[in-house]
Amino acid sequence: MLLIWLLKICKQAVMIDIAITGIGVISPIGMTETTVLESLLASRSGVRAFESQALSRPFPMAPVEAQFNDSFTRVELPFLDRTTQLAILAAQQATENAGIVNYSSFGERAGVFFGTVRGGGATEWEWTRQFYTGEKKTAKPYVIMGCMANAGAAQISIRQQVYGPTASHTSACSSSGSAIADACRQIRSGEIDVAIAGGAEAALTPVFLGAWDGLRALAEVDPVPSQSCRPFSRQRTGLVLGEGSVFFVLESREHAERRQAPIHAFVAGWGIASDGYHIGSPHQRGQIAAMRSALRTAGIDASELDYINAHATATRGGDPVEVAALKEVLGNAAQSVPVSATKALHAHMLGAASAMELLVCVLALRHSFIPATAHLSDIDPECSGIRHVTETMRDQPVRHAMSLSAGFGGTNAALVVRSSTLD
């Protein structure tokens, strides 16, 4: 009897569809879903050159060209690092898009799942500067609360009255993908009904750029600065850092339909896997395992994918490893499934990267197009063997799409979304 009951519960969990009912975005290529779509269709880049006397050379980067202090009170601002501000605002946008006033009526059946690399890093670095230059020896009371890595998740849960699980993920570049996967697992298991899930990052400071420059990983400024990020290209010189925040409202299909919420798409599958290899260099086995797990959860074959948004950071060591992983997973479909890397436009948003690239996949589903890898006119032979979408977008129906993120430390996150029109 117990076995029958367990099998019934497992079957119910598998059958739960996870709907995306809300979208919020603040990014270098748009502050709304519509403006991001326009940038993707036009291959419009948010990358520009940045110079500072504190740095050894100019760097390309992709900032959000806006300040948000007016969105908060004078009492609130000292507690809010820029990363936290972006998280709050994108989560609020997603909540409003989902038609939710706040989450208090859901009780403990709602959760927040947040991904970031540095969290309140700018607040921490400013306090460190003050301490070592002798300006101050004791911090203001708000500094600790401003620089916590989980500050974004906490502030969202407080402001949105979320009483269920609040989790923060810091798995480097796959952080928001891990957060979204965690939210999906908890919805499918029946632990919660609805979640705010995504990520945020705002670390474009000279001290952070200088630290990354120490890795010899950052790109040179291209003669046309907006073209400095060139994934898969023979001319690529390294990654370009960006900032921003993307959040989704996720809920069980039953829950969404009960409150008559519009459904943008479904998260059909997810996979998390580790390389077990090196703290700073990727290995294809972890990427392969993550993608296969996501496809298995989605219940589809790799050949059924209509689009893949690649992690592709435009680094010499990273891009070829990912292409090898893609070829292994796709098999005979490697030359037919379109692949592109939109970091060429919005750059590497670190803790928000997975969520941003999942948004690209959702937009591809909803608007029937394949975004291009911008500035890719000369494919590196080491990155050949897959169906690159170059230069300009293509009009094409998209039913299933997958994004892949590969983080430092070897944590990989793959997410599969499917069109709501398939049902």
Side-chain angles (χ1 to χ4, degrees), residues 30-46:
M31 307 287 281
T32 65
E33 180 186 348
T34 300
T35 53
V36 170
L37 174 63
E38 291 170 352
S39 293
L40 292 170
L41 293 175
S43 289
R44 184 168 56 241
S45 171

Side-chain angles (χ1 to χ4, degrees), residues 302-303 305-308 323 326-339 379-381 383-389 394 396:
S303 63
L305 290 169
D306 300 299
Y307 170 58
I308 296 175
V323 169
L326 287 167
K327 288 193 287 188
E328 177 68 22
V329 171
L330 292 170
N332 293 333
Q335 291 292 342
S336 60
V337 176
V339 177
I379 298 170
D380 187 330
C383 299
S384 63
I386 58 174
R387 186 185 169 195
H388 290 283
V389 180
R394 297 177 187 174
Q396 178 180 317

Side-chain angles (χ1 to χ4, degrees), residues 74-130:
R74 292 179 63 186
V75 174
E76 292 174 314
L77 276 173
F79 294 87
L80 304 179
D81 187 271
R82 181 170 170 84
T83 296
T84 305
Q85 291 183 24
L86 297 180
I88 290 169
L89 295 173
Q92 178 62 36
Q93 189 184 137
T95 297
E96 291 172 357
N97 184 242
I100 296 172
V101 177
N102 67 53
Y103 297 80
S104 60
S105 63
F106 306 135
E108 296 176 6
R109 302 287 298 175
V112 178
F113 301 84
F114 174 58
T116 188
V117 173
R118 286 296 298 143
T123 299
E124 181 180 357
W125 289 323
E126 174 56 22
W127 158 241
T128 302
R129 184 197 66 77
Q130 292 174 0

Side-chain angles (χ1 to χ4, degrees), residues 153-174:
Q155 289 285 357
I156 291 168
S157 69
I158 292 165
R159 290 161 186 272
Q160 297 294 340
Q161 296 295 279
V162 178
Y163 303 143
T166 299
S168 298
H169 291 253
T170 54
S171 55
C173 316
S174 61

